[in-house]
């Protein structure tokens, strides 16, 4: 779950208006090849080296010259996410490889990882023909789409069980059903988040609400119900209505999965995004601050990332054997570490995260970081 979502900007806004309003400016000359866009982020600007580039594989070469941690997004005009990279520290560089068809897009920088983002309109030029893939990559995309649909399908009955317990006023049954209802979502979160409007409805935390939103009126989804169950210790008619809305919103998500934009690079970038989710929400204990079921979410994120990698591995291992070897090693190490916190051998009952000490959290964080770095290079490996 992203702490804050990018809000929509009207499609009719001109480049000049964006520049005037947001401080987003264009560099005078481009660096690198035709498919490379240099993105320079500061605390107040988001400079891009070019506003037009050929459709196909594009690389965002991001440098954060600001004092705040930032995020960079490549977006469709309606705010669906093509690719993103979070947690870009001051003075650091990141590369994001994506696949785009001809059309209009936006690049957005989010200094401090808050607010609407500083945006720039850009255009991919060309015929709009699909990129020619290695047939193994097309097979990987098809398999991943099937996997994402399976996870969405499996989530609905789990969510319905959770909602029924809420409406029955059965707090203990609802607590038991809460974490299992989230596993399918956590495994495929980048696909769900790519739609833009579903994540804020079902998975936002209170501190992720937009300015002006009322937590008592506008906050919906799992974490609002989590607060009722674990912090408030009571369920109301409003909670029953929220439970019904959660199921409805998740059914909407399930109906859209088949139309999601999925490419080999989006799969690879999505795997990295899942590790970012772990680093920024699960390891810190912020995600499940009332239920302390963070390790269930943690495991779901890791499983989803590993699924993407395993499907892409035949090509990645051929193009970059050393990278594949490192990823195999780091996935195994992280899974072994997580298994130490299981309360059953094969299921999803994990130790309550408030029982995990500071040193153990540091160990988990180090293992996530050790995997995240090579995983950030997976997208480039599959398009070599």
């Amino acid at each position: 779950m992203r702490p804050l979502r990018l809000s929509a900007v009207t499609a009719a806004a001109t480049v000049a208006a964006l520049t005037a309003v947001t401080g987003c400016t264009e560099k005078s000359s481009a660096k690198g090849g035709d498919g490379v866009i240099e993105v320079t982020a500061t605390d107040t600007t988001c400079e891009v080296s070019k506003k037009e580039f050929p459709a196909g594989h594009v690389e965002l070469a991001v440098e954060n010259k600001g004092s705040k941690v930032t995020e960079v997004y490549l977006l469709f005009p309606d705010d669906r996410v093509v690719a993103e990279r979070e947690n870009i520290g001051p003075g650091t560089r990141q590369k994001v490889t994506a696949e785009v068809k001809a059309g209009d897009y936006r690049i957005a920088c989010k200094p401090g990882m808050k607010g609407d983002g500083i945006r720039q309109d850009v255009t991919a030029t060309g015929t709009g023909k699909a990129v020619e893939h290695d047939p193994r990559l097309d097979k990987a995309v098809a398999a991943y789409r099937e996997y994402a649909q399976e996870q969405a399908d499996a989530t609905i009955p789990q969510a319905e069980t959770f909602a029924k317990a809420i409406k029955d006023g059965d707090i203990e049954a609802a607590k038991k059903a809460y974490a299992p209802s989230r596993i399918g979502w956590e495994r495929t979160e980048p696909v769900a988040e790519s739609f833009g409007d579903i994540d804020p409805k079902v998975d936002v935390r209170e501190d992720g609400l937009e300015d002006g939103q009322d937590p008592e009126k506008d906050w919906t989804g799992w974490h609002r119900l989590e607060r009722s169950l674990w912090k408030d210790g009571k369920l109301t008619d409003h909670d029953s209505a929220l439970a019904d809305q959660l199921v409805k919103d998740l059914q909407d998500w399930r109906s859209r999965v088949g139309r999601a934009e999925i490419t080999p690079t989006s799969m690879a970038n999505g795997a990295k995004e899942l590790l970012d989710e772990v680093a920024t929400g699960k390891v810190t204990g912020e995600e499940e601050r009332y239920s302390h079921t963070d390790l269930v979410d943690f495991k779901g994120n890791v499983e989803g990332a590993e699924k993407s990698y395993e499907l892409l591995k035949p090509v990645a291992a051929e193009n970059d054997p050393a990278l594949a070897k490192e990823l195999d090693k780091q996935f195994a190490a992280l899974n072994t570490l997580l298994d130490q916190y299981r309360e059953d051998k094969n299921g999803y009952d994990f130790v309550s995260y408030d029982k995990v000490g500071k040193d153990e959290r540091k160990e988990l964080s180090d293992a996530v970081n050790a995997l995240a770095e090579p995983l950030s290079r997976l997208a480039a490996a599959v398009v070599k």
Side-chain angles (χ1 to χ4, degrees):
M1 191 285 305
R2 293 187 182 94
L4 292 168
R5 290 294 310 173
L6 291 163
S7 63
V9 172
T10 59
T14 64
V15 173
L18 280 171
T19 301
V21 173
T22 66
C24 198
T25 58
E26 182 183 9
K27 283 187 174 180
S28 59
S29 62
K31 298 179 181 179
D34 289 344
V36 177
I37 304 173
E38 301 282 341
V39 181
T40 304
T42 72
D43 296 344
T44 57
T45 62
C46 184
E47 299 179 354
V48 299
S49 62
K50 62 187 73 171
K51 291 180 182 176
E52 290 191 358
F53 50 88
H57 291 123
V58 61
E59 177 186 292
L60 302 184
V62 184
E63 181 178 8
N64 183 4
K65 291 187 175 181
S67 63
K68 302 175 182 178
V69 175
T70 196
E71 300 172 341
V72 171
Y73 292 80
L74 179 61
L75 302 166
F76 290 104
D78 62 2
D79 265 15
R80 287 177 296 130
V81 178
V82 180
E84 67 177 282
R85 186 55 47 85
E86 301 178 355
N87 302 304
I88 305 171
T92 65
R93 298 172 181 264
Q94 294 277 345
K95 291 182 179 180
V96 187
T97 302
E99 180 181 320
V100 298
K101 298 176 182 178
D104 295 328
Y105 298 88
R106 290 190 175 104
I107 292 174
C109 304
K110 290 181 63 177
M113 301 196 296
K114 293 182 179 181
D116 292 342
I118 304 167
R119 297 175 172 221
Q120 184 70 281
D121 281 359
V122 296
T123 300
T125 60
T127 62
K129 292 182 180 179
V131 174
E132 290 188 9
H133 294 141
D134 182 315
R136 293 172 295 176
L137 293 179
D138 290 330
K139 182 179 179 180
V141 168
Y144 184 75
R145 189 182 296 280
E146 183 177 353
Y147 171 74
Q149 189 67 63
E150 288 172 351
Q151 296 305 309
D153 291 344
T155 295
I156 301 305
Q158 296 279 6
E160 289 173 339
T161 297
F162 175 59
K164 182 178 185 302
I166 293 285
K167 293 189 290 183
D168 289 345
D170 191 335
I171 290 178
E172 290 308 311
K175 285 183 175 180
K176 185 176 180 180
Y178 172 75
S181 75
R182 292 176 51 76
I183 294 172
W185 173 275
E186 293 294 338
R187 286 172 176 158
T188 59
E189 202 163 357
V191 173
E193 289 183 336
S194 72
F195 301 120
D197 61 332
I198 296 178
D199 179 77
K201 295 177 182 178
V202 306
D203 199 30
V204 73
R205 304 192 303 259
E206 185 171 4
D207 55 328
L209 295 172
E210 298 286 352
D211 292 341
Q213 287 188 303
D214 184 343
E216 300 310 315
K217 296 179 181 179
D218 303 319
W219 187 16
T220 61
W222 272 301
H223 294 302
R224 173 61 181 82
L225 292 166
E226 179 201 6
R227 191 188 75 174
S228 293
L229 289 168
W230 276 273
K231 184 181 180 183
D232 300 340
K234 61 181 181 181
L235 294 170
T236 66
D237 289 343
H238 182 54
D239 292 313
S240 294
L242 289 173
D244 283 336
Q245 187 63 47
L246 174 64
V247 173
K248 182 180 178 180
D249 290 334
L250 290 172
Q251 288 172 334
D252 181 25
W253 159 55
R254 177 179 65 176
S255 73
R256 295 200 220 177
V257 169
R259 304 191 300 273
E261 293 277 349
I262 300 174
T263 65
T265 55
S266 76
M267 288 171 59
N269 289 326
K272 175 59 167 59
E273 290 166 31
L274 286 170
L275 265 291
D276 288 341
E277 292 282 347
V278 174
T280 59
K282 282 69 174 183
V283 167
T284 62
E286 295 175 64
E287 180 82 354
E288 306 290 357
R289 61 191 63 179
Y290 306 119
S291 66
H292 304 300
T293 56
D294 302 270
L295 289 173
V296 180
D297 291 358
F298 192 142
K299 183 63 174 176
N301 286 158
V302 173
E303 286 179 338
E306 191 165 18
K307 180 67 174 182
S308 291
Y309 166 59
E310 289 296 337
L311 291 172
L312 296 170
K313 183 178 175 179
V315 173
E318 183 176 295
N319 291 340
D320 194 338
L323 176 63
K325 183 178 180 180
E326 182 66 13
L327 286 170
D328 287 341
K329 174 185 173 182
Q330 297 303 337
F331 267 117
L334 182 54
N335 280 316
T336 297
L337 184 58
L338 272 174
D339 285 346
Q340 296 178 16
Y341 297 94
R342 286 186 188 271
E343 293 191 318
D344 61 345
K345 185 175 181 181
N346 298 310
Y348 285 84
D349 289 332
F350 283 83
V351 171
S352 180
Y353 201 58
D354 59 337
K355 302 294 193 297
V356 179
K358 182 178 179 180
D359 290 345
E360 288 76 17
R361 292 188 184 199
K362 175 65 164 54
E363 185 179 26
L364 286 165
S365 179
D366 288 345
V368 169
N369 291 335
L371 173 58
E373 190 284 321
L375 201 55
S376 70
R377 294 185 271 127
L378 179 59
V382 300
V383 300
K384 281 186 177 179

